[in-house]
Amino acid sequence: AQSVTQLDSHVSVSEGTPVLLRCNYSSSYSPSLFWYVQHPNKGLQLLLKYTSAATLVKGINGFEAEFKKSETSFHLTKPSAHMSDAAEYFCVVSGGLGSQGNLIFGKGTKLSVKP
Amino acid sequence: NAGVTQTPKFQVLKTGQSMTLQCAQDMNHEYMSWYRQDPGMGLRLIHYSVGAGITDQGEVPNGYNVSRSTTEDFPLRLLSAAPSQTSVYFCASSYGQFYGYTFGSGTRLTVV
């Protein structure tokens, strides 16, 4: 079975400083991994995805994530936070073989950005 | 604009009432899903479909029905609303598991 653990429920950074949102996964198969962002009272937007190609994945708005199989991690980073990055971020694993590609969500990390 | 369209955006129901949440996509995606979002829980899968005429249950299917008569539409029916179904509901669609899903803007449902 697949599962996702987001290690921090809330992260607070100052504008201009780096962002690190941590995610560990468990999967019996080579997983597809995603990061989604949700701004307040909005739907979910795909930030980036890993599907067994390059282990360093670049996404939108300057975010990137590195797939580390040995650590079963897929942490999301950004070199310099912007006020507009304040949102909730979800690490997601695709369910793998037999799951019809259904998504399994972590519980989310709320990112606050201080001026 | 291409995407996933959900209606209504807001709904208040009384306990025991029934209703249908609508979802339509115009991207010719085969895969469609319904999720509910509750505080601190992330999103949980209710029902999903991998093509017209094919549906299956997700993690939390009780109290909900779905059907998929066309590729474009995937309505979610609440049979007899309960306060525990107060939530935000998201519909999503995809070409398949390697592509990621496109989400609708959500329906905020309150059952009183």
Side-chain angles (χ1 to χ4, degrees):
Chain A
Q2 284 71 34
S3 66
V4 172
T5 302
Q6 291 184 244
L7 299 172
D8 306 291
S9 58
H10 191 198
V11 170
S12 181
V13 301
S14 297
E15 190 174 22
T17 63
V19 175
L20 170 64
L21 305 183
R22 299 181 296 165
C23 173
N24 287 349
Y25 70 90
S26 172
S27 177
S28 303
Y29 307 99
S30 295
S32 295
L33 292 159
F34 309 87
W35 277 98
Y36 283 84
V37 61
Q38 185 180 32
H39 288 92
N41 299 312
K42 300 289 186 184
L44 285 87
Q45 181 183 19
L46 180 64
L47 270 181
L48 51 79
K49 62 183 179 183
Y50 166 79
T51 55
S52 75
T55 56
L56 183 62
V57 181
K58 294 188 183 299
I60 62 172
N61 301 332
F63 285 94
E64 61 182 37
E66 186 171 8
F67 173 71
K68 291 188 176 180
K69 186 175 181 179
S70 61
E71 299 176 11
T72 61
S73 69
F74 190 58
H75 301 335
L76 182 70
T77 61
K78 182 174 181 177
S80 176
H82 192 272
M83 295 296 292
S84 61
D85 295 327
E88 189 157 23
Y89 293 79
F90 292 96
C91 183
V92 182
V93 62
S94 181
L97 288 177
S99 73
Q100 311 297 348
N102 290 316
L103 304 180
I104 299 167
F105 281 77
K107 289 184 168 38
T109 298
K110 192 161 292 188
L111 176 65
S112 300
V113 183
K114 297 175 290 187
Chain B
N1 291 336
V4 179
T5 302
Q6 290 185 238
T7 56
K9 293 190 182 304
F10 302 94
Q11 183 71 49
V12 178
L13 287 179
K14 293 182 178 179
T15 298
Q17 287 184 317
S18 62
M19 79 160 294
T20 299
L21 307 185
Q22 301 291 345
C23 176
Q25 53 92 8
D26 57 2
M27 297 172 283
N28 203 32
H29 287 168
E30 291 293 329
Y31 288 29
M32 295 187 75
S33 302
W34 276 101
Y35 293 85
R36 60 176 288 171
Q37 183 178 27
D38 302 292
M41 302 287 287
L43 276 75
R44 293 179 293 168
L45 181 66
I46 304 171
H47 285 286
Y48 66 96
S49 169
V50 297
I54 306 170
T55 63
D56 207 345
Q57 297 180 350
E59 180 185 355
V60 288
N62 291 341
Y64 308 96
N65 272 356
V66 292
S67 60
R68 184 97 179 269
S69 57
T70 67
T71 299
E72 294 78 19
D73 299 300
F74 191 45
L76 177 72
R77 298 183 188 85
L78 279 70
L79 308 173
S80 176
S84 60
Q85 294 179 304
T86 293
S87 187
V88 182
Y89 292 84
F90 288 98
C91 179
S93 71
S94 174
Y95 286 116
Q97 69 182 80
F98 300 114
Y99 296 90
Y101 275 75
T102 300
F103 282 80
S105 58
T107 295
R108 187 174 296 272
L109 176 68
T110 302
V111 182
V112 298

